[in-house]
Amino acid sequence: MMDIRQLRYFVAIVEQGSFSRAAQFLHVAQPALSLHVRNMEADLGTALLFRSPRGVEPTEAGAILLRHARIVLDQMTVAEEEIRGHQNDPSGEVRLGIPGTIGQILAVPLITAVHQRYPKIRLRIAEAMSGFILEWMREERIDLAVLYGQADDHGIRTQHLLEEDLQFFGPADGIRPEPLAATGTVLSLAEVASMPLILPGKGHGLRDLLDDAADKGRHALNIVIDVDSYNNIKALVAEGLGYSILPENAIAAEVAEGRLQSWRIDNPPVSRGIHLAYSASRPMTNAVTVVLALTRETLRDLARTGHWVGARIADGA
């Protein structure tokens, strides 16, 4: 079976017109060239070269091989140039899954950054709850994901990039006769747990995190309404039907406008991790590799610049 090296040697011998000149051109010992030609002739069962007064020339079979060898070598050159160009200017489709709450913050700056830096990449963003996104990763329906929580299983690797603070909040005028601490101050988790709470239902990532935090502190959450939509939670709180706990960024606008008031939670503080996930079981295309790096960079920039309110870069990220 002939290989690319043998074809290169054969073309060089014909073009140089002698084994000795070809050996000098290729920086290969002349006996090695002669051995390669003999092996090729043995594989093909026919002579490929003969010596004439003008030097080494191809036989009829050799001329056929020369024509095809040049085509093959030209195609290899084109392939190498295309691969190098792809490395410098990646192209293709990249599928990214993100929770809707993160999509509101990340999607526009990330799409803009990809479009500016890598115009040949088509970035598709799919939004869903973290649990669904993790399933998409396991089923290889998406290439990358931003998740709440780690998922280092089933051939998936995650990088812990950010921590997002959660805050307790209520209607601007309060709903209980006894006064709370001044807005902007700190409440303990025990105090927060005793308030009438409007929270996502069980199975929602945020609810599971709060349940775990309460269980560790041996507190019982006083939940009066279950509703998964952040917008509905905020609307119900604004109507005075209860308090809630959401990421600081989710309520920042309403707090700034005076429609809600908020308190930090301490003893212990409550936050959740933001993780960037990718497949460890299959090779990443160059397009996926650069989008992974750009997503990491964009997430850090959002926290560093304060565009993601309440987020901070995780230790070691």
Side-chain angles (χ1 to χ4, degrees):
M1 177 68 69
M2 291 181 292
D3 57 33
I4 296 297
R5 180 176 59 176
Q6 288 177 320
L7 294 179
R8 286 197 177 104
Y9 288 175
F10 179 76
V11 171
I13 293 167
V14 174
E15 291 179 345
Q16 295 297 320
S18 78
F19 280 87
S20 59
R21 286 197 295 271
Q24 292 176 349
F25 175 77
L26 295 167
H27 303 289
V28 176
Q30 184 173 332
L33 289 183
S34 300
L35 177 60
H36 277 294
V37 171
R38 288 198 298 272
N39 289 338
M40 293 169 70
E41 290 176 331
D43 287 339
L44 295 171
T46 186
L48 298 172
L49 299 171
F50 70 93
R51 297 183 183 275
S52 73
R54 295 185 299 274
V56 176
E57 294 186 11
T59 62
E60 183 176 1
I64 294 172
L65 177 61
L66 179 65
R67 183 174 73 253
H68 287 283
R70 283 172 170 160
I71 292 172
V72 170
L73 295 176
D74 285 346
Q75 284 300 112
M76 285 297 299
T77 300
V78 170
E80 290 171 0
E81 290 176 351
E82 185 174 337
I83 291 169
R84 291 191 181 98
H86 180 69
Q87 291 292 110
N88 297 327
D89 190 15
S91 62
E93 182 178 88
V94 178
R95 301 158 298 173
L96 171 67
I98 52 179
T101 50
I102 294 179
Q104 296 172 8
I105 310 166
L106 176 63
V108 171
L110 180 59
I111 291 170
T112 301
V114 170
H115 179 71
Q116 291 175 343
R117 295 196 197 181
Y118 308 108
K120 294 183 180 179
I121 292 178
R122 299 184 304 279
L123 177 61
R124 291 179 54 192
I125 292 182
E127 295 185 2
M129 293 174 60
S130 274
F132 290 119
I133 294 170
L134 183 55
E135 285 304 310
W136 293 346
M137 282 292 296
R138 288 170 177 163
E139 295 168 4
E140 299 185 355
R141 293 169 58 188
I142 55 177
D143 304 297
L144 304 170
V146 180
L147 302 170
Y148 294 119
Q150 290 181 304
D152 291 336
D153 63 353
H154 299 278
I156 299 171
R157 294 290 176 268
T158 54
Q159 299 175 353
H160 185 192
L161 295 182
L162 305 179
E163 280 290 320
E164 183 180 37
D165 292 330
L166 303 182
Q167 287 204 337
F168 177 74
F169 68 97
D173 297 328
I175 59 173
R176 294 171 66 88
E178 60 269 34
L180 288 168
T183 183
T185 56
V186 178
L187 297 175
S188 70
L189 183 58
E191 292 175 284
V192 167
S194 67
M195 299 296 179
L197 296 174
I198 303 171
L199 292 176
K202 286 188 175 295
H204 189 286
L206 179 62
R207 172 65 178 274
D208 292 345
L209 183 150
L210 293 172
D211 282 341
D212 288 344
D215 288 344
K216 288 177 182 177
R218 297 183 179 180
H219 309 304
L221 295 176
N222 179 24
I223 299 170
V224 295
I225 300 175
D226 289 338
V227 58
D228 288 346
S229 165
Y230 283 10
N231 286 335
N232 287 337
I233 289 174
K234 290 187 288 184
L236 291 168
V237 170
E239 289 293 323
L241 297 179
Y243 293 91
S244 190
I245 304 167
L246 287 181
E248 184 177 353
N249 188 78
I251 60 172
E254 290 83 359
V255 170
E257 294 167 2
R259 291 187 283 134
L260 297 173
Q261 56 179 327
S262 67
W263 296 262
R264 289 193 303 111
I265 304 172
D266 206 345
N267 191 27
V270 183
S271 64
R272 60 179 176 180
I274 312 299
H275 300 258
L276 182 55
Y278 57 94
S279 174
S281 61
R282 56 193 171 106
M284 286 190 286
T285 66
N286 197 41
V288 172
T289 300
V290 298
V291 171
L292 173 67
L294 192 52
T295 304
R296 184 188 305 116
E297 176 185 327
T298 303
L299 286 168
R300 288 172 175 162
D301 284 346
L302 288 169
R304 188 180 296 114
T305 59
H307 286 87
W308 189 331
V309 179
R312 62 186 182 277
I313 299 173
D315 293 339

